[in-house]
Amino acid sequence: MKPSIPRGTRDFGPAEMQKRQYIFNILKTNFQLFGYAPIETPSMENITTLTGKYGEEGDQLIFKILNSRIHESKDDKKEELKKEFNTSLEKSYNSELLTEKALRYDLTVPFARYVVMNNHALTYPFKRYQIQPVWRADKPQKGRYREFYQCDADVIGSNSLVNELELIAMIDKSFAELNIPVLLKFNNRKILSGIAEILNASDKIIDITVAIDKLDKIGKEGVVKELGEKGISESAIKQLEPLIDLSGSNADKVAVLNTFLSTSDIGKKGIEEINFLLNHLKTISTQHIKVELDITLARGLNYYTGTIFEAKANAGTFTPSILGGGRYDDLTGIFGLKGLSGVGISFGVDRIYDVMEELDLFPPSVNKVSTTKILLANFGEAELMHCVGLVSKLRAAGINAEVYPDVVKKIAKQFEYADKKQIPFVGVVGGNEMANNTIMLKNMASGTQEEVDFTKLVEALK
RNA sequence: GUAGGUAUAGCUCAGUUGGUUAGAGCACCAGAUUGUGGUUCUGGGGGUCGCCGGUUCGAACCCGGUUACUUACCCCA
């Protein structure tokens, strides 16, 4: 049988894992630096927890898990199962008789579920980070996987926009350390709601935002066409034009919005929130990323109600979204806990990896397959056991060390092993060295070697 | 779901208008070198040309189907 793995999933070898862990470590360190505490949730959730939170399109992308042992059902139940199965064949339909669990689609909804279930034990505002894989039943493409990691940081139980500011500061610091040039776009769903209200099309808000969101991709004409197809009236589209044409500085954009939204309460609230962030950006003094108000930014997820974020690499040709996030005023409400507002962001590690690979941003220290400092090579059984003793002394001294575990005819084999793993030093122990209580230490890069005692060996490797 | 592209050695790929025994580079194994890798030289192993069928004296090559992978659209980290 020819081995394979499901489409859109990947194996990660030691070389890739070095680089992935480098990213994870930077993010994790910063999460902790900003006061977030780690949690984990199960890979699978009850499917009812997930459905209806991600929009119509999102629901289709949820990975469903078939109930186990359905063949053991009683006969009358089987009739019902067949009916449910047939219905599933006809239309998009969820039957709990067939499927009661699903793989998590993101980390935010499971987090909201967690908060509601653990409300009694949490101190608010509750700040958590979570680094786990999520799954989407999508068709894989470049930069799009069916299993990928998200690194989320969320604050729940605080309405303050200071949380947004701090998130921006954390985004800045993280991308600075990863050395990725980044453009962080933000917007506010209240602006979008205000626009829909002014146009008398509040029920079409999703259609409008999705269409406007595509501006940089399909251009103004494309947006106008799509709006028409979605049933937006011509006069409304005409009204929208100044917004579609919106450009210039952040302040210029706000000025246009002020006029456009002057009669919408929710719109004005959105402008107020945007202004707060713009006015205080200097307080957190972002050093690295570029922050830009983009009123065409919509984001697909249904649960956002306030600020929304999206970041892309600001260099290279491959620039997928590598971070997303936003504020959700009542995500816990669906699970029975009202009045908790939260805001959070999600780093997409797999795409960050792809971008860093394209821009060649990994430092040389992580661009290798092994962290071993020295390999001890042996000439036979007695020497091997001598090495086993030596290597444990090296480890006690804090040096990453390994011993070649087999006795082989050719010592070259052991050097080859060290070379392939890019181990910088090889210690050779033969009869002479054993008698002298020394090690022949070879520097693999320069090719030079020197007979040293243990003290000198540790010094050379420190 | 819609539309393209690709499928030949472990990997990346050549393969002429259809012609006899299907190649290269890398990787692998052995030797040159019995206490030394990476460089060099020599030799070697490795193929159901994705699968099924058709056309033909003859198919890796042409035709039909099928599967897998891949890119774009929709949507998204």
Side-chain angles (χ1 to χ4, degrees):
Chain A
M1 163 184 167
K2 201 174 172 186
S4 64
I5 55 175
R7 210 141 74 102
T9 66
R10 284 120 351 119
D11 288 324
F12 301 109
E16 289 158 301
M17 282 310 292
Q18 287 273 330
K19 293 186 256 186
R20 285 174 67 84
Q21 282 173 352
Y22 168 77
I23 301 172
F24 284 130
N25 287 339
I26 287 177
L27 295 179
K28 194 171 150 184
T29 304
N30 283 321
F31 289 160
Q32 287 171 351
L33 192 65
F34 280 77
Y36 295 85
I39 72 161
E40 285 198 7
T41 64
S43 301
M44 59 187 99
E45 292 279 347
N46 292 328
I47 196 164
T48 49
T49 302
L50 304 182
T51 44
K53 317 294 189 298
Y54 307 111
E56 214 175 302
E57 199 89 28
D59 279 359
Q60 308 291 326
L61 298 180
I62 293 172
F63 254 108
K64 298 175 178 178
I65 301 172
L66 181 66
N67 290 349
S68 311
R69 312 177 80 142
I70 48 175
H71 64 283
E72 289 177 1
S73 315
K74 296 219 171 77
D75 282 350
D76 55 334
K77 194 118 185 224
K78 275 190 180 168
E79 283 310 310
E80 227 175 312
L81 277 171
K82 283 180 193 166
K83 249 191 251 168
E84 295 285 84
F85 184 75
N86 282 329
T87 312
S88 314
L89 288 179
E90 296 303 316
K91 56 174 187 181
S92 171
Y93 174 73
N94 227 342
S95 167
E96 283 201 55
L97 284 179
L98 291 164
T99 296
E100 55 192 23
K101 299 172 292 298
L103 296 175
R104 73 166 100 76
Y105 177 92
D106 71 356
L107 301 178
T108 310
V109 169
F111 170 56
R113 194 260 315 140
Y114 171 89
V115 166
V116 175
M117 286 180 70
N118 294 275
N119 181 30
H120 59 282
L122 301 180
T123 306
Y124 293 104
F126 179 56
K127 302 173 78 168
R128 82 87 175 80
Y129 76 85
Q130 189 170 354
I131 300 179
Q132 290 191 276
V134 302
W135 293 269
R136 298 194 184 168
D138 218 341
K139 229 173 155 180
Q141 284 172 42
K142 188 175 169 67
R144 173 176 297 187
Y145 308 101
R146 299 215 291 185
E147 178 183 65
F148 59 97
Y149 270 75
Q150 290 193 332
C151 300
D152 277 37
D154 287 76
V155 196
I156 198 160
S158 165
N159 289 302
S160 169
L161 287 161
V162 167
N163 296 303
E164 271 90 333
L165 270 182
E166 290 232 284
L167 284 170
I168 295 172
M170 190 167 70
I171 293 167
D172 182 55
K173 190 163 193 315
S174 300
F175 283 124
E177 285 171 18
L178 290 167
N179 202 21
I180 306 174
V182 159
L183 173 64
L184 178 68
K185 291 182 174 186
F186 78 102
N187 192 12
N188 196 300
R189 275 279 168 97
K190 294 189 176 86
I191 298 279
L192 299 168
S193 300
I195 293 170
E197 192 178 281
I198 298 279
L199 297 180
N200 254 325
S202 289
D203 55 322
K204 296 251 165 64
I205 179 168
I206 292 177
D207 288 335
I208 293 173
T209 55
V210 166
I212 293 181
D213 191 39
K214 290 182 203 163
L215 183 61
D216 56 344
K217 225 176 194 174
I218 60 177
K220 186 177 166 186
E221 277 173 40
V223 173
V224 168
K225 194 176 155 215
E226 179 154 338
L227 286 169
E229 282 165 7
K230 297 289 183 185
I232 312 294
S233 74
E234 246 179 77
S235 61
I237 295 175
K238 258 250 150 30
Q239 258 183 291
L240 259 176
E241 275 189 33
L243 291 181
I244 300 176
D245 290 331
L246 196 61
S247 65
S249 71
N250 288 336
D252 295 342
K253 293 177 187 170
V254 171
V256 174
L257 285 176
N258 262 325
T259 319
F260 190 88
L261 294 171
S262 57
T263 58
S264 163
D265 285 345
I266 191 159
K268 282 193 285 189
K269 186 82 181 45
I271 294 174
E272 202 179 294
E273 294 185 13
I274 281 174
N275 272 328
F276 179 89
L277 293 181
L278 288 175
N279 290 338
H280 289 94
L281 273 179
K282 53 183 176 297
T283 312
I284 56 169
S285 70
T286 50
Q287 304 283 318
H288 182 80
I289 59 171
K290 204 176 154 207
V291 183
E292 186 182 285
L293 171 63
D294 179 357
I295 65 133
T296 70
L297 177 66
R299 298 195 48 78
L301 298 177
N302 273 0
Y303 48 70
Y304 292 126
T305 52
T307 313
I308 45 184
F309 295 113
E310 183 170 276
K312 291 182 177 189
N314 207 6
T317 52
F318 180 62
T319 57
S321 150
I322 52 178
L323 172 141
R327 178 169 286 276
Y328 37 90
D329 275 335
D330 199 25
L331 191 49
T332 56
I334 317 156
F335 303 120
L337 186 59
K338 296 268 183 209
L340 272 186
S341 181
V343 59
I345 52 168
S346 179
F347 290 85
V349 169
D350 302 77
R351 286 180 174 179
I352 289 175
Y353 180 102
D354 291 342
V355 165
M356 290 183 70
E357 200 69 272
E358 182 186 277
L359 299 176
D360 197 19
L361 296 178
F362 288 105
S365 57
V366 296
N367 240 326
K368 53 187 211 171
V369 287
S370 164
T371 56
T372 300
K373 206 76 188 280
I374 181 168
L375 171 79
L376 293 187
N378 71 78
F379 277 101
E381 284 296 341
E383 291 91 339
L384 172 58
M385 292 324 291
H386 180 73
C387 288
V388 170
L390 275 177
V391 84
S392 67
K393 280 170 74 184
L394 281 171
R395 289 169 191 149
I399 292 162
N400 293 2
E402 52 182 310
V403 60
Y404 195 87
D406 295 304
V407 176
V408 290
K409 275 190 287 254
K410 299 187 109 183
I411 190 102
K413 183 101 183 155
Q414 304 182 45
F415 276 87
E416 219 175 280
Y417 175 86
D419 184 55
K420 281 188 179 150
K421 285 185 72 171
Q422 297 163 277
I423 297 172
F425 292 96
V426 173
V428 183
V429 180
N432 294 338
E433 287 84 0
M434 265 179 84
N436 299 341
N437 202 21
T438 55
I439 298 101
M440 186 62 82
L441 178 65
K442 174 161 179 173
N443 181 322
M444 293 294 278
S446 66
T448 56
Q449 58 183 24
E450 188 190 358
E451 192 172 344
V452 296
D453 64 14
F454 188 78
T455 318
K456 276 187 103 175
L457 176 69
V458 172
E459 255 170 53
L461 296 175
K462 273 267 158 129

